[in-house]
Amino acid sequence: MATTSVTNTYDGLVAGTFPIVTERVTIASGADLSKGTILGVVTASGKYAAADSTASSAGNNVPVAILLEDAAAGSADAVATVALTGEFNGAALIAKRDGDDVDDFKAGLRSVGIFVKTVV
């Protein structure tokens, strides 16, 4: 079995020493996403998409990961590295959906081992 090595530069995204667990996942087509985007899982497909704080039958309203690299998924699915745990700088996180704010996702992220911090 071949292994792939991924190198990430966090550019102020990581904000602590809590262990970061990463995984390569499929990002659902429909939007190009930037590093730091808060992600949820689309129930029907199991693919990841920008989290949405409104109740949705799609399922991506539950935040579960942070995107660790840009993902060009505008016209086709993309594979990208995400963080499943860790401490992150709230000012560097992205709430992608209109009307959403990083604060809308703090409690949900905390429940999966992702901690949003204020960096001074």
Side-chain angles (χ1 to χ4, degrees):
M1 174 163 71
T3 59
T4 303
S5 176
V6 177
T7 301
N8 287 300
T9 55
Y10 295 112
D11 304 326
L13 183 61
V14 174
T17 59
F18 190 84
I20 298 172
V21 174
T22 64
E23 184 173 44
R24 299 282 287 167
V25 302
T26 301
I27 307 297
S29 64
D32 291 334
L33 301 178
S34 299
K35 178 175 29 176
T37 299
I38 300 167
L39 301 174
V41 176
V42 179
T43 303
S45 66
K47 298 175 184 176
Y48 288 66
D52 185 343
S53 67
T54 61
S56 166
S57 61
N60 59 317
N61 59 320
V62 178
V64 297
I66 304 297
L67 187 60
L68 293 180
E69 61 185 318
D70 294 342
S75 60
D77 291 350
V79 175
T81 303
V82 301
L84 302 175
T85 63
E87 293 175 292
F88 296 91
N89 177 359
L93 294 178
I94 300 167
K96 184 73 174 171
R97 305 286 181 181
D98 288 340
D100 283 345
D101 184 87
V102 171
D103 288 338
D104 296 331
F105 299 106
K106 276 185 176 181
L109 288 168
R110 190 170 35 252
S111 72
V112 296
I114 295 174
F115 303 95
V116 178
K117 298 179 79 175
T118 301
V119 177
V120 289

